[in-house]
Every structure is written in structure tokens, then in C-alpha cells.
């Protein structure tokens, strides 16, 4: 698993934001499009793409996409 590809997968979850604006250092919770539905999309995407089960607490602990990547990589 590589950070660049993970970031691209996360960027795909946001419909109204240009993917080029999202980097590993992006604080995803500060994005206008962030919502509980986006969190569920993250959980589903990580399960499908990486076969890792994320929990709501995992997302609450993460601030940046890189933080989320590190949580997924550790599982």
C-alpha cells in the first residue's frame, strides 16, 4: 500500500473537490464536503480496496489523510 494511491482513493470520495487539491497533509475533516456520510464512504472504500475494517474511532483519531493511512497500514 502506498500513500499516493491511498490519497487518490480518499480524494475520490469527495465529489465537489478537485482531487489535485487533496494531499496526504490535508485535514480532511476541515473540507466543506466532510460529513458522516463521507466517513462511511471512507470505511467502505478502505474495506473494499485494502481489506481493512476501520471503525468510527479510527476516523476520529485521524486528522490528516496521512494519519488515516498510518492507521490502515497498522491493521
Amino acid at each position: 500500500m502506498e500513500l499516493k494511491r491511498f490519497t487518490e482513493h480518499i480524494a475520490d470520495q469527495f465529489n465537489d473537490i478537485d482531487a489535485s487539491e487533496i494531499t496526504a497533509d490535508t485535514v480532511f475533516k476541515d473540507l466543506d464536503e466532510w460529513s458522516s456520510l463521507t466517513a462511511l464512504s471512507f470505511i467502505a472504500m478502505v474495506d473494499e480496496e485494502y481489506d481493512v475494517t476501520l471503525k468510527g474511532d479510527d476516523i476520529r483519531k485521524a486528522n490528516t489523510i496521512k494519519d488515516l493511512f498510518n492507521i490502515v497500514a497498522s491493521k
Side-chain angles (χ1 to χ4, degrees), residues 1-70:
M1 180 170 74
E2 70 177 60
L3 181 57
K4 183 178 187 280
R5 186 70 183 128
F6 184 82
T7 302
E8 291 168 355
H9 280 131
I10 293 293
D12 289 344
Q13 305 308 306
F14 294 99
N15 298 321
D16 296 331
I17 299 172
D18 187 342
S20 66
E21 295 178 30
I22 297 177
T23 68
D25 295 322
T26 298
V27 178
F28 59 88
K29 295 174 192 173
D30 288 348
L31 297 171
D32 289 339
E33 200 175 330
W34 174 254
S35 69
S36 59
L37 290 176
T38 310
L40 291 174
S41 294
F42 280 14
I43 290 169
M45 180 277 297
V46 168
D47 183 45
E48 184 177 316
E49 295 292 329
Y50 301 100
D51 199 27
V52 171
T53 302
L54 278 181
K55 298 184 179 179
D57 281 346
D58 295 324
I59 292 177
R60 279 190 287 279
K61 290 177 189 174
N63 290 311
T64 65
I65 292 173
K66 187 174 183 178
D67 293 341
L68 197 57
F69 172 82
N70 288 334

